[in-house]
Amino acid sequence: MTAAPLVAEAAEAILQAVGVTKRIPLHGRDRGRAVHALNGVDLTLRRGQILALVGESGSGKSTLARLLALGDTPTDGEIRFAGKQVRPGRRADRRAHFGRVQMVLQDPFSSLNNLHRVRYILSRPLRNFGRTSPAEIEGRILELLERVNLTPATDFIDKFPHELSGGQRQRIAIARALAAEPVVLLGDEPVSMLDVSIRLDILNLLAELRDRDGLAMLYITHDIASARYFADEISVMYAGHIVESGPAEQVTQEPKHPYTKLLLAASPNPDRLTVGTEAEDVDVDVDEKDLAEPPNLLAEPVGCPFAHRCPDAAPVCSATAPPTHSFAAGQLARCWLYDS
Ligand SMILES: Nc1ncnc2c1ncn2[C@@H]1O[C@H](COP(=O)(O)OP(=O)(O)OP(=O)(O)O)[C@@H](O)[C@H]1O
Ligand SMILES: [Mg+2]
């Protein structure tokens, strides 16, 4: 059963995954087998909105981001930009896409080259995307630094990455992404490697970019509490399936899928982003084993992949793929519980 649109005619759809499946073939001893990384995924990023993609390790979040960035080809399904299919195999599509869709990665320590100053790091994408005069490039670099709140910009332009804190480095990584003047930012866990005390600052900066520049944003995270605080919509991913999606408020206040309920129970403290200790960052008060046993991604998906961990599982759940149910306000859940 295919999912209905994520939200009823909200903002303009910019970047979409439509029925996207990804099989990753294995080598060596597992030759001939494949990881079922994504299974018929639908996702829509809209202008001026942040969509949080939440799910545990291995659920397929980065694989989906890679496909949305045209870094890889789907096994089945389409990536669409402004309603039109784009393909990584086409040079013209790739070139146009790289200017419009930029990624911000998890680790600001490995993503910036320590041998180069900020000026050089930010000048490269500016040159690649058509700015040529040195004066224009210098002016634009200063503007970018101000835009990510590294002020006064002249204090930062000649720094090396190793002279900056983790939060400042992530701001440079964001400025580098903005240099291409994209309309979409794909953030793959953009704050998870930063000190808890500065995560909120970076999330606020991203929210500012959404508000001021109307960027569409994908915010990948393990942390549904930060998604609740930060995102307009949430899609919850489990074993390569979107199991629930909808407005952030709705999904976190009235979760429908048992997996979403477990994630929320494991992450009960919405103030977590504002506190400063690592200890509080890992407060989990559900039975750890509820969330511990991973699904088998090598087997062809049959039934619901969450069935073996689900407190509400019925015999049908492990036998037949669940239908997708629509609730009020565009909330969707892929679950047998709501079959009537
Ligand atoms: N190159 C690869 N070869 C084999 N398996 C892969 C490869 N890349 C990803 N996978 C598998 O595909 C599945 C999805 O991986 P992915 O990195 O998308 O998960 P994720 O949700 O981003 O996880 P995390 O939260 O740990 O970053 C995992 O089972 C992973 O092991
Ligand atoms: Mg990942």
Side-chain angles (χ1 to χ4, degrees):
M1 190 162 178
T2 53
L6 202 64
V7 191
E9 298 319 310
E12 181 194 349
I14 303 280
L15 184 59
Q16 290 172 289
V18 182
V20 164
T21 291
K22 181 67 184 174
R23 304 268 178 271
I24 303 173
L26 296 175
H27 305 286
R29 216 157 41 95
D30 288 316
R31 200 181 167 77
R33 308 181 79 189
V35 176
H36 295 72
L38 298 173
N39 304 289
V41 166
D42 291 313
L43 195 90
T44 299
L45 301 182
R46 295 174 189 279
R47 195 178 287 283
Q49 292 203 351
I50 296 170
L51 170 66
L53 183 60
V54 183
E56 67 194 31
S57 197
S59 56
K61 305 180 298 297
S62 297
T63 303
L64 181 56
R66 202 161 54 243
L67 293 175
L68 287 169
L70 295 194
D72 203 353
T73 312
T75 309
D76 201 2
E78 290 183 9
I79 304 299
R80 293 184 193 157
F81 187 89
K84 209 170 143 237
Q85 186 179 5
V86 285
R87 295 188 176 91
R90 285 193 188 156
R91 211 179 129 86
D93 282 9
R94 264 198 332 265
R95 256 201 86 73
H97 206 70
F98 293 164
R100 302 179 300 208
V101 179
Q102 287 282 310
M103 287 196 79
V104 176
L105 301 175
Q106 183 175 23
D107 183 359
F109 292 91
S110 67
S111 67
L112 300 179
N113 187 336
N114 270 318
L115 297 176
H116 295 302
R117 294 179 197 274
V118 166
R119 174 184 277 105
Y120 179 82
I121 292 169
L122 296 183
S123 69
R124 280 189 57 183
L126 289 171
R127 276 197 205 96
N128 287 343
F129 289 99
R131 297 189 188 251
T132 47
S133 98
E136 191 189 2
I137 288 175
E138 181 86 0
R140 184 79 180 115
I141 292 172
L142 293 171
E143 258 173 52
L144 284 167
L145 289 170
E146 274 163 25
R147 206 153 148 214
V148 297
N149 302 330
L150 289 175
T151 53
T154 44
D155 283 3
F156 291 93
I157 193 165
D158 284 314
K159 292 260 197 281
F160 287 100
H162 65 80
E163 297 176 288
L164 303 173
S165 69
Q168 290 170 337
R169 293 169 72 115
Q170 198 60 318
R171 286 174 193 272
I172 298 290
I174 293 167
R176 181 176 56 183
L178 295 176
E181 296 176 27
V183 286
V184 180
L185 275 189
L186 304 174
D188 195 349
E189 305 196 45
V191 298
S192 63
M193 289 193 64
L194 303 178
D195 283 350
V196 179
S197 57
I198 55 169
R199 287 180 191 174
L200 192 60
D201 294 341
I202 298 290
L203 291 182
N204 283 338
L205 168 65
L206 293 172
E208 231 174 272
L209 296 172
R210 166 201 54 192
D211 296 340
R212 205 177 45 195
D213 304 336
L215 285 173
M217 239 177 259
L218 181 68
Y219 169 57
I220 294 180
T221 182
H222 286 231
D223 179 12
I224 199 164
S226 70
R228 165 164 44 191
Y229 160 78
F230 175 57
D232 302 290
E233 293 173 37
I234 295 178
S235 286
V236 180
M237 190 168 235
Y238 185 82
H241 294 273
I242 303 290
V243 297
E244 178 157 3
S245 61
E249 188 69 15
Q250 199 74 19
V251 169
T252 52
Q253 296 307 312
E254 289 179 47
K256 298 291 193 274
H257 198 283
Y259 178 61
T260 314
K261 291 179 187 173
L262 265 179
L263 279 181
L264 283 161
S267 182
N269 181 2
D271 298 327
R272 188 141 54 112
L273 281 160
T274 60
V275 299
T277 66
E278 289 297 326
E280 277 165 292
D281 194 36
V282 290
D283 65 347
V284 172
D285 69 357
V286 294
D287 191 339
E288 292 271 356
K289 76 177 175 334
D290 286 344
L291 288 169
E293 194 188 330
N296 176 11
L297 297 179
L298 291 177
E300 193 66 38
V302 177
C304 174
F306 189 59
H308 68 298
R309 289 158 79 181
C310 182
D312 301 313
V316 67
C317 299
S318 37
T320 311
T324 299
H325 285 267
S326 300
F327 300 87
Q331 188 176 11
L332 301 174
R334 186 179 182 270
C335 182
W336 277 114
L337 270 182
Y338 305 97
D339 192 49
S340 55

